[in-house]
Amino acid sequence: MPDPESIRNVREHIVREHMEAENALEMDRALDTFAHPRYEIMSTGRVYDGPEEVDRYYRESRATFPDQRNELISLRHADDAVIVEFWLLGTHNGALGRLEPTGREFKCQMTAFFIFEGTGLVCERVYFDSATILRQLTSAS
């Protein structure tokens, strides 16, 4: 059985690879970091489970924010997860529900729990305040 330190190292490598792939818009590479692809977006209550649904989530979110990217703030380990605090940034160049593109940028502090079974990533559970993003997209500054 692997020692806890090597498990932590493998998990951290997977999370960093996942976040780098998203920034590079290499969504197939991001998808490949999962043992079982699943996103839980807590502010909307939406769950994307399985490769097809996660791929759809990637396509939809990047259609709305083509330059969406993350900037790592901190990374912590838990018994079954890697917890990441980060900034999410992007420009609103596609429809967001009924909100037509504004061309405005947003920056929102978020937390994601990367849930693992052993060393296999099985879920990314994301927490953020959607009003923070909406306010930046709709208010003139």
Side-chain angles (χ1 to χ4, degrees):
M1 176 148 185
D3 67 89
E5 187 64 27
S6 66
I7 290 172
R8 285 172 57 126
N9 290 340
V10 168
R11 288 177 177 176
E12 184 170 329
H13 174 77
I14 290 168
V15 169
R16 289 180 183 277
E17 174 74 15
H18 180 91
M19 294 178 75
E20 289 171 13
E22 287 181 332
N23 282 345
L25 300 176
E26 296 174 358
M27 307 324 285
D28 288 341
R29 187 174 74 150
L31 192 62
D32 286 345
T33 62
F34 285 99
H36 175 82
R38 181 180 173 94
Y39 273 83
E40 298 174 359
I41 312 299
M42 303 312 291
S43 67
T44 64
R46 291 197 175 146
V47 174
Y48 302 88
D49 192 33
E52 294 81 16
E53 288 187 21
V54 169
D55 181 62
R56 179 171 51 87
Y57 163 70
Y58 286 153
R59 284 184 282 110
E60 289 172 355
S61 61
R62 283 8 179 236
T64 302
F65 304 105
D67 63 343
Q68 182 175 305
R69 63 209 178 275
N70 61 72
E71 294 177 359
L72 181 65
I73 297 170
S74 68
L75 184 145
R76 293 175 172 78
H77 293 269
D79 288 344
D80 67 344
V82 174
I83 304 161
V84 176
E85 189 176 8
F86 62 99
W87 291 104
L88 190 71
L89 303 95
T91 307
H92 185 212
N93 288 328
L96 178 62
R98 288 185 250 161
L99 180 62
E100 290 300 316
T102 63
R104 293 192 176 110
E105 295 180 354
F106 77 90
K107 182 176 184 179
C108 183
Q109 194 167 357
M110 299 187 171
T111 300
F113 285 68
F114 289 84
I115 310 297
F116 285 83
E117 290 179 359
T119 57
L121 177 59
V122 295
C123 180
E124 182 178 348
R125 184 174 299 137
V126 184
Y127 293 87
F128 65 99
D129 176 24
S130 56
T132 296
I133 295 173
L134 192 57
R135 194 170 34 255
Q136 292 176 56
L137 299 182
T138 58
S139 65
S141 17

